[in-house]
């Protein structure tokens, strides 16, 4: 029981709860079902990408190309939809095409990191620049709006189950699937083993290159899913709409308790980190804080939360080292 109460997830959940109570006093509109569902819907794409980023960060990697990959898939999906028949099978095809494209781009990142042994930050920065440049060249910075999309996709984007948007349901499904992979599959256990102790994991026979390729490919897979969710949310394709989102994705994962250097992270923590960011931004909007102050305040929260987490983690390591020396 004490271990549960001291867990990182409980700490984040308590912060989220206190923040909700505070914002309820600041704005009577905050603690309403519609507003809370809007917060979830507005941050579902961020959440999908953050869930994938969790696996990358656990293994000690980083992927700053996620927003660029998602934008690229959005553009391709938008172009493909313009050619598709107005039939339900078009939605199924989108969920095959989008993730497939994402996996291809993610696997390319993984191969360069694992086989060519280029640092992940270098590979994904280069990929981000290449993809953003190609997307702007192909689209000339122009939007694709809903008038170009099949009616069946617009209906899909507006679909709700028990009042919950399909976009939120996709986010929940992705989080549950990834949690299951980490907890109950061999590759998931290998990801956690490498996160726990890379050298020991390699010594017991875990293929580090295979795991790296998997986590980057899975990140690409979820970027493909996120592209469909983003297109459904905006009912349009904006080539510049996701610039800078990769920083928020990484921030959500780190706020959720993951160690940016690798070795630590959970799906529940990441989901709570996404909620924390979403609630902060929503609360600042309801409080009618100017946009530039919203960014400053959000940045401060991220900096303070990550600093506190790093200090606590360092203290626990120092305490463990002291115990080992005394023993």
């Amino acid at each position: 029981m004490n271990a549960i109460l001291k867990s990182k997830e409980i700490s984040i959940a308590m912060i989220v709860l206190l923040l909700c109570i505070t914002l309820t006093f600041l704005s009577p509109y905050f603690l309403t079902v519609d507003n809370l569902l809007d917060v979830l819907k507005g941050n579902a794409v961020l959440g999908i990408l953050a869930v994938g980023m969790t696996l990358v960060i656990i293994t000690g990697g980083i992927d700053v190309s996620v927003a660029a990959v998602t934008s690229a898939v959005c553009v391709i999906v938008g172009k493909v939809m313009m050619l598709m028949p107005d039939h339900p099978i078009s939605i199924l095809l989108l969920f095959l095409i989008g993730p497939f494209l994402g996996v291809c781009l993610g696997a390319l990142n993984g191969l360069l990191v694992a086989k060519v042994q280029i640092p992940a930050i270098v590979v994904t920065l280069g990929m981000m620049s290449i993809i953003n440049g190609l997307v702007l060249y192909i689209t000339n910075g122009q939007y694709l709006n809903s008038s170009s999309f099949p009616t069946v996709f617009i209906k899909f984007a507006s679909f709700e189950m028990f009042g919950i948007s399909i976009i939120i349901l996709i986010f929940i499904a992705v989080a549950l699937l990834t949690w299951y992979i980490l907890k109950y599959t061999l590759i998931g256990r290998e990801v956690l083993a490498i996160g726990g102790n890379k050298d020991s994991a390699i010594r017991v026979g875990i293929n580090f290159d295979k795991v790296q390729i998997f986590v980057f490919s899975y990140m690409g897979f979820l970027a493909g899913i996120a592209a469909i969710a983003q297109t459904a949310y905006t009912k349009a394709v904006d080539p510049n709409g996701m610039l800078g989102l990769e920083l928020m994705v990484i921030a959500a994962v780190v706020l959720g308790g993951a160690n940016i250097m690798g070795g630590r992270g959970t799906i529940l923590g990441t989901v709570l980190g996404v909620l924390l960011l979403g609630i902060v931004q929503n609360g600042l909007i309801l409080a009618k804080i100017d946009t530039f102050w919203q960014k400053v305040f959000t940045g401060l929260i991220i900096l303070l939360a990550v600093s506190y987490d790093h200090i606590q983690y360092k203290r626990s390591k120092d305490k463990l080292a002291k115990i080992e020396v005394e023993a």
Side-chain angles (χ1 to χ4, degrees):
M1 187 66 180
N2 287 335
I4 294 173
L5 291 174
K6 290 179 180 178
S7 69
K8 182 66 180 176
E9 289 80 4
I10 292 295
S11 301
I12 303 163
M14 291 301 294
I15 293 170
V16 170
L17 182 60
L18 288 171
L19 196 57
C20 287
I21 293 170
T22 303
L23 291 173
T24 301
F25 285 107
L26 290 175
S27 172
Y29 302 104
F30 175 77
L31 202 61
T32 61
V33 173
D34 288 342
N35 183 60
L36 294 177
L37 286 176
D38 283 343
V39 170
L40 281 172
K41 186 176 178 181
N43 290 277
V45 172
L46 171 65
I48 293 168
L49 295 175
V51 164
M53 186 67 75
T54 304
L55 273 65
V56 178
I57 287 178
I58 286 174
T59 59
I62 196 79
D63 188 349
V64 295
S65 69
V66 287
V69 171
T70 306
S71 292
V73 178
C74 280
V75 169
I76 296 171
V77 162
K79 295 281 188 183
V80 169
M81 274 198 293
M82 295 169 65
L83 306 173
M84 281 185 170
D86 195 10
H87 190 278
I89 198 170
S90 298
I91 304 300
L92 177 61
L93 289 174
L94 287 181
F95 275 95
L96 293 174
I97 294 169
F100 174 75
L101 292 169
V103 167
C104 290
L105 292 171
L108 180 58
N109 280 337
L111 285 168
L112 290 171
V113 172
K115 298 301 183 182
V116 188
Q117 295 186 348
I118 305 172
I121 185 70
V122 176
V123 169
T124 56
L125 270 173
M127 188 65 73
M128 177 182 72
S129 183
I130 292 167
I131 292 173
N132 282 335
L134 288 173
V135 165
L136 290 176
Y137 174 75
I138 292 168
T139 63
N140 201 26
Q142 295 180 342
Y143 282 64
L144 293 176
N145 56 44
S146 59
S147 61
S148 307
F149 299 157
T151 305
V152 68
F153 181 77
I154 304 302
K155 289 180 179 177
F156 165 78
S158 304
F159 176 78
E160 293 183 352
M161 182 180 291
F162 305 114
I164 301 173
S165 169
I166 185 66
I167 300 167
I168 300 173
L169 295 174
I170 291 172
F171 173 34
I172 293 170
V174 163
L176 290 174
L177 171 65
T178 310
W179 170 82
Y180 179 85
I181 289 171
L182 272 180
K183 192 170 179 65
Y184 293 109
T185 67
L186 177 60
I187 189 68
R189 290 173 184 172
E190 288 177 343
V191 168
L192 292 172
I194 285 173
N197 191 315
K198 176 185 169 182
D199 294 333
S200 297
I202 292 172
R203 278 199 294 269
V204 298
I206 292 175
N207 188 326
F208 182 59
D209 289 351
K210 181 191 75 172
V211 174
Q212 281 189 307
I213 293 170
F214 167 75
V215 295
F216 280 100
S217 298
Y218 189 71
M219 180 73 261
F221 170 76
L222 293 190
I225 299 289
I228 297 171
Q230 173 71 6
T231 307
Y233 178 65
T234 59
K235 296 183 177 65
V237 174
D238 177 7
N240 299 305
M242 305 193 76
L243 289 177
L245 185 66
E246 62 278 348
L247 299 179
M248 295 295 286
V249 171
I250 295 167
V253 178
V254 176
L255 278 175
N259 182 357
I260 195 66
M261 303 305 293
R264 200 158 40 102
T266 64
I267 300 305
L268 176 58
T270 294
V271 170
L272 289 170
V274 170
L275 287 176
L276 181 56
L277 280 179
I279 289 168
V280 166
Q281 291 181 329
N282 180 258
L284 292 173
I285 291 169
L286 291 177
K288 298 179 181 178
I289 305 296
D290 290 335
T291 306
F292 57 88
W293 283 116
Q294 290 177 25
K295 292 183 178 180
V296 170
F297 193 71
T298 302
L300 282 172
I301 287 177
I302 293 169
L303 186 60
L304 289 170
V306 173
S307 298
Y308 175 78
D309 179 58
H310 184 70
I311 290 167
Q312 291 293 100
Y313 180 69
K314 193 174 179 181
R315 282 179 179 173
S316 66
K317 284 285 187 182
D318 291 342
K319 189 181 291 184
L320 182 61
K322 187 177 179 181
I323 292 169
E324 287 176 351
V325 169
E326 289 177 353

